[in-house]
Amino acid sequence: MRAVLVEAGRVGESTRFPSVLLLEPPKSEVRAFTDGALISRRAQAVLLDTATGAAAEAVVDLVAGALVDWRELAPGTGQPAVLFEEYDRSADLVRADPRWQAALRRRGVEDFSLAFVAPLSPGFFDHPEERGRRVLRALTFLRDHVEDSPWAHPVEGLLAKVDLISGEVISVVDEGDVPVPHEHGNFDAEHVGPARTTLKPIEITQPDGVSFTVEGNEVTWENWRFRVGFNAREGLTLHRVEFAENSGEHRPVINRASMAEMVVPYGDPAPWRYWISYFDAGEYLLGKNANSLKLGCDCLGVIHYFDAVVADDHSNPVTIPQAICMHEEDYGILWKHTNILTGATEVRRSRRLVVSFFATIGNYDYGFFWYFYLDGTIQLEAKATGIVFCGSAEPGTVSPYAAEIAPGLMAPVHQHLFCARLDMEVAGERNTVDEVDVVGIPIGPDNPYGNAFTTTVTPLTRESQAQRLADPARGRSWLIRNEDSRNRLGKPRAYQLVPNPGPTLLAQPEATVATRAAFATKHLWVTRHDDAERFPAGDYPNQNPGNDGLAVWTRADRELTEEDLVLWHVFGPTHVPRPEDWPVMPVDYSGFMLRPHGFCDRNPALDLPDGTASRAHCPPGQCACNH
Ligand code: NI
């Protein structure tokens, strides 16, 4: 990639690469793919001239080694993602600024080397001094020593704004006269004291190895088959996910699935915090920030790792060793029945295949875990953990917008709204989505006793109509069905998207974040597949005024019946922080399920062996329950 662009004379001394991503090959090629066949490989690089701020998109044909497309980015369409080197650059600029130095001195800080200047994407507010500029905002945190966790010592009321191209510190706001909290927030063994000794070991052994096979990036496990991919922006991607019923033919379920975007808007109106709304995928790149699980994975059992390759700021390849973890987990009972007439019991254990990665973006750590179950269910679980982002106030302060979670440490309310992109292919290419509610029936001639309830099924036929909220009181779910493929009951094969709904975006419709993160105002969007529509807030959410993404694309109001469809599903926690979230937050889980719903002819896990294998380790006569 880099070599082709150098050859083409497009890479100068000050050129950097905020993003380098493979482009998906056309679906016709993907569907026709057989091992060994050549598939077209193209990649898109975003180039930023850090001397002038000019940005461009290049498309390179990697097979031909040729630059095939070049497009300058127009002003006002958003900035490319934040470069790693800009973390240091913004901090260095702020540290050198006399106004910032004066603000720290005023607070009694003379040693600036221990101050951590956090590089934060600025949102978009069309402030005149930011127009046309590539900007980061910086909040400051102190450390008592180099290993000290900075997040425990926020410098309240101090905000610097940096122009990354000119190197100018545009402004320094210094409005806080609040002491910096001094209690440390470290949680390593040295700081929390001796670990408890009461937990006896649990050992997971797989004496005969794993039940999956991996060939290249293709995984086969029980009735599942899929391919694993990875890119700098979304991290883990799944491709050609297929399920076979009773060892029959594999039928497609999903063409491609990914964590395409997320937004973390904060609910505090303070002048130094109102703008916080990080798009961690599009502004910081989840995959580029992925953990190498060599350094800590802690999954139990026999683990298979995949390495990932991303591009650095110079478009040189960087391998992240063991970025993706895959293993099997026992998951309790899958199905069971005791015959009350004979006392005979049939019970089978559930097991799931876990494919996951973790990314660390500043204070937060996000794990994205895809689970495949023996009954055809797919689940995505997002794990939010790490350190809650705090400001400070006089101890005992009560605020409507923040909770005191340690003395003087105020954690603002905020949301983590994830958007999964699910390029569905349920039993074939042409799908239709139905919204299914469960509703009671008014008392009347058909329902004289008032007990009746039923389901209502509403096809989502156009994009303008396919922008939906979940409704837990109606058990709302969405069915993705295929009229061309029928089960033994003559019904279309289908998968059901089961949401786990929480609040959507709580910012007001007039707030700029509501336009920029319009995707987060609904739990579900359905669109007609288009190769160019990859990211729900658009390709450049950084400083984007809100002129790209789902709300813009769906103005075309494309017809959705029996078409190639993409589902965009929004979910995630709304955080009102607790003392228990400090100094490191226990995992907060969110996610959704995709369940077969007439995709199979019957329970596809009848042929599981009974629990003999799992009982083998129990002392004779002491374990008959299989739990
Ligand atoms: Ni949070």
Side-chain angles (χ1 to χ4, degrees):
M1 182 86 202
R2 181 181 164 84
V4 171
L5 290 165
V6 168
E7 176 85 0
R10 302 289 187 172
V11 182
E13 188 71 4
S14 53
T15 303
R16 298 294 182 272
F17 293 77
S19 142
V20 178
L21 298 175
L22 273 176
L23 293 172
E24 293 294 323
K27 272 201 185 177
S28 53
E29 280 186 41
V30 174
R31 290 188 179 111
F33 179 77
T34 54
D35 273 323
L38 191 63
I39 203 158
S40 62
R41 288 316 249 167
R42 294 179 311 140
Q44 180 201 56
V46 178
L47 293 82
L48 174 72
D49 186 333
T50 55
T52 65
E57 265 176 14
V59 176
V60 167
D61 182 328
L62 298 171
V63 178
L67 174 62
V68 293
D69 193 30
W70 179 268
R71 187 171 75 88
E72 311 279 341
L73 294 188
T77 54
Q79 284 285 336
V82 182
L83 294 161
F84 277 9
E85 70 175 33
E86 287 172 329
Y87 296 3
D88 289 335
R89 177 163 164 77
S90 57
D92 291 345
L93 292 169
V94 172
R95 270 177 224 282
D97 187 89
R99 293 165 292 178
W100 178 87
Q101 293 178 354
L104 283 204
R105 281 200 190 93
R106 197 163 65 75
R107 291 168 174 84
V109 178
E110 297 289 341
D111 179 1
F112 304 141
S113 70
L114 288 172
F116 168 65
V117 180
L120 305 171
S121 59
F124 178 86
F125 297 90
D126 203 27
H127 296 318
E129 74 276 15
E130 293 173 17
R131 265 177 218 150
R133 302 173 99 165
R134 181 169 172 80
V135 175
L136 281 181
R137 287 177 214 257
L139 293 170
T140 301
F141 299 80
L142 302 181
R143 290 177 298 172
D144 292 334
H145 49 87
V146 286
E147 274 107 38
D148 191 26
S149 171
W151 311 108
H153 312 296
V155 179
E156 183 71 8
L158 179 58
L159 171 67
K161 198 188 295 185
V162 174
D163 180 331
L164 291 163
I165 303 301
S166 71
E168 182 192 345
V169 178
I170 300 168
S171 66
V172 176
V173 172
D174 176 17
E175 295 184 19
D177 274 308
V178 175
V180 176
H182 53 78
E183 183 180 287
H184 78 76
N186 303 311
F187 42 85
D188 52 330
E190 186 192 327
H191 284 91
V192 297
R196 70 180 73 174
T197 56
T198 46
L199 285 175
K200 303 291 184 280
I202 291 181
E203 286 183 9
I204 307 293
T205 56
Q206 293 177 265
D208 299 327
V210 298
S211 309
F212 55 77
T213 57
V214 180
E215 278 181 57
N217 63 358
E218 187 179 54
V219 177
T220 307
W221 178 71
E222 297 304 299
N223 296 355
W224 289 103
R225 186 163 72 194
F226 59 91
R227 286 173 185 272
V228 169
F230 195 92
N231 67 63
R233 183 154 172 164
E234 303 162 292
L236 173 63
T237 56
L238 300 175
H239 305 258
R240 305 304 300 163
V241 178
E242 300 175 331
F243 186 73
E245 183 178 4
N246 296 330
S247 309
E249 67 171 309
H250 281 84
R251 291 195 177 89
V253 180
I254 305 175
N255 178 59
R256 186 182 186 279
S258 66
M259 178 51 53
E261 190 55 275
M262 53 179 288
V263 65
V264 190
Y266 279 61
D268 181 348
W272 44 90
R273 263 192 294 275
Y274 69 89
W275 46 272
I276 299 180
S277 56
Y278 311 125
F279 292 69
D280 286 309
E283 291 178 337
Y284 290 103
L285 307 185
L286 290 172
K288 194 175 175 181
N289 288 282
N291 294 170
S292 172
L293 299 171
K294 261 180 147 166
L295 304 173
C297 160
D298 227 15
C299 293
L300 296 176
V302 179
I303 314 292
H304 182 93
Y305 293 103
F306 297 89
D307 294 347
V309 179
V310 297
D312 69 9
D313 289 351
H314 295 267
S315 191
N316 296 312
V318 177
T319 299
I320 302 174
Q322 301 188 357
I324 301 169
C325 166
M326 182 170 77
H327 69 287
E328 297 170 273
E329 281 179 357
D330 181 89
Y331 200 62
I333 302 295
L334 180 63
W335 56 260
K336 174 172 179 165
H337 181 61
T338 299
N339 183 323
I340 56 167
L341 302 179
T342 66
T345 294
E346 293 286 342
V347 56
R348 301 293 184 274
R349 291 195 69 79
S350 179
R351 193 184 291 196
R352 63 188 187 182
L353 182 68
V354 188
V355 191
S356 69
F357 82 108
F358 248 98
T360 301
I361 316 276
N363 53 308
Y364 254 102
D365 301 77
Y366 295 106
F368 299 100
F369 284 61
W370 291 93
Y371 300 114
F372 296 87
Y373 293 85
L374 296 167
D375 68 350
T377 299
I378 303 171
Q379 180 186 5
L380 174 64
E381 192 169 69
K383 303 187 182 191
T385 179
I387 302 178
V388 183
F389 199 83
C390 288
S392 58
E394 291 291 347
T397 298
V398 175
S399 162
Y401 312 115
E404 187 178 22
I405 61 168
L409 207 56
M410 305 295 287
V413 294
H414 61 274
Q415 302 186 273
H416 304 254
L417 295 167
F418 303 103
C419 183
R421 181 180 183 274
L422 303 168
D423 177 356
M424 299 301 292
E425 194 169 318
V426 175
E429 187 178 339
R430 295 178 342 131
N431 289 167
T432 304
V433 177
D434 293 328
E435 181 166 287
V436 181
D437 286 353
V438 187
V439 293
I441 308 285
I443 288 185
D446 292 341
N447 184 25
Y449 303 103
N451 65 301
F453 64 90
T454 187
T455 53
T456 60
V457 177
T458 310
L460 304 179
T461 59
R462 304 197 75 87
E463 289 180 337
S464 57
Q465 178 210 0
Q467 305 173 10
R468 308 299 302 163
L469 290 173
D471 187 346
R474 291 168 173 253
R476 180 168 293 170
S477 67
W478 294 284
L479 274 190
I480 307 105
R481 65 180 149 90
N482 188 329
E483 292 293 327
D484 303 331
S485 179
R486 303 271 165 166
N487 61 26
R488 70 179 178 128
L489 304 169
K491 298 290 193 315
R493 294 186 197 279
Y495 256 74
Q496 179 189 30
L497 172 58
V498 184
N500 188 4
T504 52
L505 188 76
L506 288 164
Q508 296 303 300
E510 300 81 5
T512 58
V513 69
T515 314
R516 304 179 61 232
F519 73 86
T521 62
K522 306 289 179 189
H523 290 111
L524 179 78
W525 303 68
V526 186
T527 58
R528 183 100 66 91
H529 175 268
D530 180 331
D531 281 327
E533 296 175 359
R534 298 178 292 169
F535 308 118
D539 287 0
Y540 302 97
N542 188 13
Q543 290 182 255
N544 191 293
N547 58 19
D548 199 0
L550 277 170
V552 175
W553 307 330
T554 53
R555 286 181 203 146
D557 200 17
R558 290 162 291 194
E559 168 68 44
L560 300 176
T561 305
E562 295 188 42
E563 294 287 353
D564 184 359
L565 300 182
V566 178
L567 275 66
W568 310 77
H569 178 44
V570 172
F571 61 93
T574 292
H575 275 164
V576 179
R578 314 167 295 165
E580 291 85 351
D581 293 330
W582 190 256
V584 63
M585 190 177 88
V587 166
D588 195 335
Y589 301 93
S590 60
F592 63 89
M593 305 261 252
L594 280 164
R595 302 197 309 171
H597 197 290
F599 188 83
C600 304
D601 287 340
R602 56 177 62 74
N603 180 343
L606 293 176
D607 62 340
L608 292 177
D610 69 21
T612 317
S614 60
R615 280 202 296 266
H617 300 293
C618 298
Q622 288 188 24
C623 184
C625 69
N626 251 349
H627 61 182

